[in-house]
Amino acid sequence: HVQLVESGGGSVQAGGSLRLSCKSTGWTQTRLCMAWFRQPAGKERGGVAYIDSDGTTEVAESVKGRFTISEDSGINTLALQMTSLEVEDTAMYYCAATWHCGRRWFVASLYSYWGQGTQVTVS
């Protein structure tokens, strides 16, 4: 079955950068569409960035120009490069995968597979 494992979280000062990675295993043929979500303490989980099976990407307005999503399909690794981090970016970040690709990428309930999360703290 599909498994997702995130890494790369940590604590950073405002204005700094972090790179999150998500290693996926468990499927071989059809490519899933993948995304990063985040959930600040006490708040709902929201979409941050998405990459479709054809490589098309989307990012939330709040992180546009600062976060970049990429995928190395050869090693089944999804990445989120985060720059110019702000205190408001503090959250648990989750990698997620779905067979339901499309314009509603930011809807968490459409994703069947989730990682355990990695904490990002900006101060």
Side-chain angles (χ1 to χ4, degrees), residues 45-66:
R45 191 171 299 189
V48 176
Y50 164 84
I51 186 163
D52 205 301
S53 56
D54 65 359
T56 303
T57 61
E58 301 278 356
V59 293
E61 282 296 321
S62 59
V63 304
K64 193 164 288 185
R66 300 189 297 120

Side-chain angles (χ1 to χ4, degrees), residues 3 5 10 12 17 21 23 29 31 49 52-53 64 82 87 90-91 100 103 105 118 122:
Q3 288 188 310
V5 179
V12 65
S17 300
S21 293
K23 176 70 174 178
Q29 296 183 336
R31 285 182 60 187
D52 205 301
S53 56
K64 193 164 288 185
M82 306 185 293
V87 173
T90 296
H100 303 287
R103 300 180 66 178
W105 65 268
T118 186
V122 185

Side-chain angles (χ1 to χ4, degrees), residues 12-44:
V12 65
Q13 291 188 336
S17 300
L18 280 175
R19 183 178 178 88
L20 305 183
S21 293
C22 173
K23 176 70 174 178
S24 58
T25 59
W27 79 88
T28 56
Q29 296 183 336
T30 304
R31 285 182 60 187
L32 291 158
C33 295
M34 302 192 70
W36 289 97
F37 283 75
R38 68 184 180 185
Q39 186 168 19
K43 297 185 179 180
E44 292 187 355

